[in-house]
């Protein structure tokens, strides 16, 4: 239902009902929608302006966020390995996380925030090897956009410079402190300017903070244990972890490789530490949902893929296109792609769940 609200609010905004800082759902429910920051709603409203009023507008928007995040995962991978060729590995681990496809299908705000968080990680990794100031500022601006999309859930990325120094052993405490200070300032300053200069922005931010942030910590309970979000994370990563175990066992059997280089272990440790820093703080509140941690999965996928990459690469390189198993794999993959596209096209105009409710709604 949340995704339907977001689509309705965005569509309303596109035709002049409500505004960017004062989104509008209806006269009787959320005439002023301050439940979440407005950036994703505003961006989606542009799609309604460009593409018209259709059920497919929000779906194409969600698909675009999915593809964009995938591209950013590939860029992070290319930066870490120097090869875009094997970007399929983190992408495979990412798309097999159940909540990722669920969120895209349901038009969640986290789809948009995943772009800004993943972009922030890319810029921060650039900052470790290139012109630091520029990339740190870009990373901070990315996180500002994340804040305007779904609030404080994106700020765990602030910890990346510290984890990089702690685990990779590169740099010194002074550099970490300075980098983090620049990153935090570049994140907060744009938000502060909006807060100071625009009264509507100030009202939106104040209402959201008091109702959603403070209120969720003090009053709202959706789970029975603070560890629920951690259990949800473990549930979601079962498939990618099993895939990595299979890859590792196959590589040991086929290539004899056993050891993983220290650099891969350390860099994976950095990314997985960032992932945990995006999960554990949510345990402060008893209001928890699996979608709150959606932005950690691109980082998790890259970290896990980078760990297993030295083992997988020789295995894949030995797998020639002339081998029967490769031809079978290619044929099965192509068949599955054709089936998936065909099934999707057959859903056009079809009402599945709640058939009677949909028909009655049209009549009314």
């Amino acid at each position: 239902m949340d995704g339907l609200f977001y689509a309705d609010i965005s569509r309303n905004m596109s035709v002049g009902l409500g505004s960017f800082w004062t989104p509008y759902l209806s006269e009787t429910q959320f005439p002023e929608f301050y439940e979440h920051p407005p950036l994703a709603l505003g961006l989606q409203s542009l799609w309604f302006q460009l593409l018209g009023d259709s059920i497919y507008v929000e779906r194409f928007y969600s698909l675009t966020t999915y593809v964009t995040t995938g591209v950013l995962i590939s860029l992070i991978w290319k930066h870490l390995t120097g090869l875009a060729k094997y970007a399929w590995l983190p992408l495979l681990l990412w798309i097999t996380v159940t909540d990722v496809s669920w969120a895209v299908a349901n038009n969640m705000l986290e789809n948009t925030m995943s772009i800004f968080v993943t972009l922030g990680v890319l810029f921060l990794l650039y900052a470790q090897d290139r012109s630091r100031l520029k990339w740190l500022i870009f990373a901070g601006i990315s996180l500002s956009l994340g804040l305007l999309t779904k609030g404080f859930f994106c700020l765990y990325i602030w910890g990346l410079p510290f984890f990089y120094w702690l685990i990779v052993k590169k740099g010194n405490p002074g550099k970490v402190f300075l980098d983090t200070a620049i990153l935090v300032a570049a994140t907060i300053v744009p938000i502060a300017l909006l807060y100071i200069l625009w009264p509507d922005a100030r009202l939106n931010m104040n209402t959201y903070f008091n109702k959603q942030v403070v209120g969720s910590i003090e009053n709202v309970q959706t789970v029975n244990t603070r560890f629920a979000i951690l259990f949800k994370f473990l549930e979601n990563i079962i498939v990618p972890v099993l895939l990595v175990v299979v890859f590792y066992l196959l590589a040991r059997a086929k290539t004899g490789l056993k050891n993983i280089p220290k650099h891969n272990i350390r860099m994976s440790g950095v990314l997985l530490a960032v992932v945990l820093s995006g999960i554990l703080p949510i345990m402060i509140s008893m209001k928890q949902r699996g979608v709150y941690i959606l932005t950690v999965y691109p980082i998790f996928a890259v970290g896990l893929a980078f760990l297993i990459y030295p083992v997988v690469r020789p295995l894949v390189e030995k797998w020639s296109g002339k081998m029967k198993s490769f031809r079978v794999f290619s044929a099965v993959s192509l068949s599955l792609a054709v089936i998936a596209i065909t099934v999707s096209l057959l859903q056009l105009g079809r009402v599945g769940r709640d058939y009677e409710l949909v028909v009655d709604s049209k009549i009314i």
Side-chain angles (χ1 to χ4, degrees):
M1 184 175 67
D2 291 2
L4 296 177
F5 278 9
Y6 306 149
D8 286 338
I9 292 167
S10 300
R11 183 265 176 192
N12 287 342
M13 196 182 298
S14 73
V15 296
L17 296 173
S19 64
F20 182 82
W21 292 113
T22 312
Y24 167 92
L25 179 63
S26 73
E27 288 292 338
T28 54
Q29 188 168 19
F30 298 122
E32 294 178 337
F33 185 83
Y34 295 134
E35 307 299 302
H36 302 295
L39 182 57
L41 304 173
L43 291 174
Q44 195 167 128
S45 75
L46 296 177
W47 282 63
F48 279 101
Q49 288 184 23
L50 293 172
L51 302 178
D53 188 2
S54 167
I55 190 175
Y56 297 108
V57 173
E58 71 262 24
R59 298 189 180 192
F60 282 126
Y61 176 83
S62 289
L63 180 62
T64 301
T65 63
Y66 189 55
V67 173
T68 303
T69 303
V71 170
L72 293 172
I73 290 172
S74 300
L75 291 175
I76 293 174
W77 182 259
K78 184 178 180 181
H79 174 74
L80 293 176
T81 65
L83 288 173
K85 177 181 177 182
Y86 287 89
W88 60 266
L89 182 56
L91 290 173
L92 175 64
L93 300 181
W94 176 58
I95 65 174
T96 52
V97 174
T98 307
D99 274 3
V100 170
S101 56
W102 178 88
V104 172
N106 284 277
N107 191 40
M108 304 307 289
L109 299 178
E110 285 79 4
N111 300 331
T112 303
M113 189 165 71
S114 290
I115 294 176
F116 299 129
V117 169
T118 311
L119 188 63
V121 171
L122 177 64
F123 289 153
L124 285 175
L125 291 175
Y126 283 168
Q128 307 307 315
D129 305 317
R130 306 180 185 182
S131 176
R132 284 166 47 203
L133 181 61
K134 175 177 70 174
W135 295 113
L136 288 169
I137 292 174
F138 285 166
I141 293 172
S142 297
L143 294 183
S144 288
L145 297 174
L147 273 171
L148 289 173
T149 300
K150 191 63 193 292
F152 297 94
F153 295 107
C154 65
L155 296 184
Y156 65 94
I157 302 301
W158 280 351
L160 195 151
F162 169 75
F163 291 125
Y164 190 87
W165 165 76
L166 181 68
I167 298 173
V168 176
K169 310 293 185 184
K170 188 175 180 180
N172 56 70
K175 176 181 178 295
V176 173
F177 178 81
L178 180 59
D179 286 359
T180 305
I182 294 171
L183 175 62
V184 171
T187 304
I188 294 176
V189 167
I191 303 296
L193 289 175
L194 291 173
Y195 187 89
I196 294 169
L197 297 176
W198 275 273
D200 288 346
R202 184 160 57 249
L203 175 61
N204 185 294
M205 293 178 191
N206 285 338
T207 308
Y208 163 74
F209 182 81
N210 292 325
K211 185 173 183 179
Q212 289 295 324
V213 180
V214 177
S216 66
I217 294 175
E218 294 180 347
N219 306 316
V220 182
Q221 179 174 345
T222 61
V223 294
N224 296 321
T225 171
R226 296 188 186 277
F227 293 96
I229 197 70
L230 187 59
F231 295 148
K232 183 63 176 177
F233 171 72
L234 295 175
E235 175 188 326
N236 269 312
I237 64 172
I238 289 174
V239 174
V241 168
L242 286 177
L243 284 173
V244 166
V245 170
V246 170
F247 284 146
Y248 181 73
L249 293 177
L250 279 174
R252 285 193 60 174
K254 298 293 184 181
T255 66
L257 289 175
K258 298 180 181 180
N259 296 326
I260 298 174
K262 286 184 179 180
H263 171 67
N264 290 75
I265 295 174
R266 288 176 177 173
M267 196 63 228
S268 295
V270 172
L271 296 175
L272 297 178
V274 172
V275 168
L276 287 177
S277 69
I279 298 171
L280 299 182
I282 295 176
M283 295 167 62
I284 295 173
S285 172
M286 293 295 282
K287 182 185 177 183
Q288 300 180 11
R289 292 181 64 193
V291 73
Y292 293 171
I293 59 172
L294 190 77
T295 62
V296 308
Y297 294 117
I299 309 167
F300 172 79
V302 174
L304 196 59
F306 195 67
L307 181 66
I308 200 69
Y309 171 64
V311 176
V312 171
R313 182 177 177 180
L315 177 66
V316 174
E317 288 176 346
K318 288 185 64 175
W319 202 24
S320 169
K322 297 179 181 179
M323 298 173 66
K324 183 179 179 180
S325 60
F326 184 89
R327 293 197 298 271
V328 170
F329 173 79
S330 299
V332 171
S333 299
L334 180 60
S335 300
L336 288 173
V338 171
I339 291 171
I341 294 171
T342 303
V343 170
S344 296
L345 292 175
L346 291 175
Q347 306 309 307
L348 289 173
R350 176 178 175 271
V351 178
R353 294 179 301 174
D354 301 320
Y355 177 81
E356 293 82 3
L357 179 62
V358 172
V359 172
D360 287 350
S361 297
K362 289 182 177 179
I363 294 172
I364 291 168

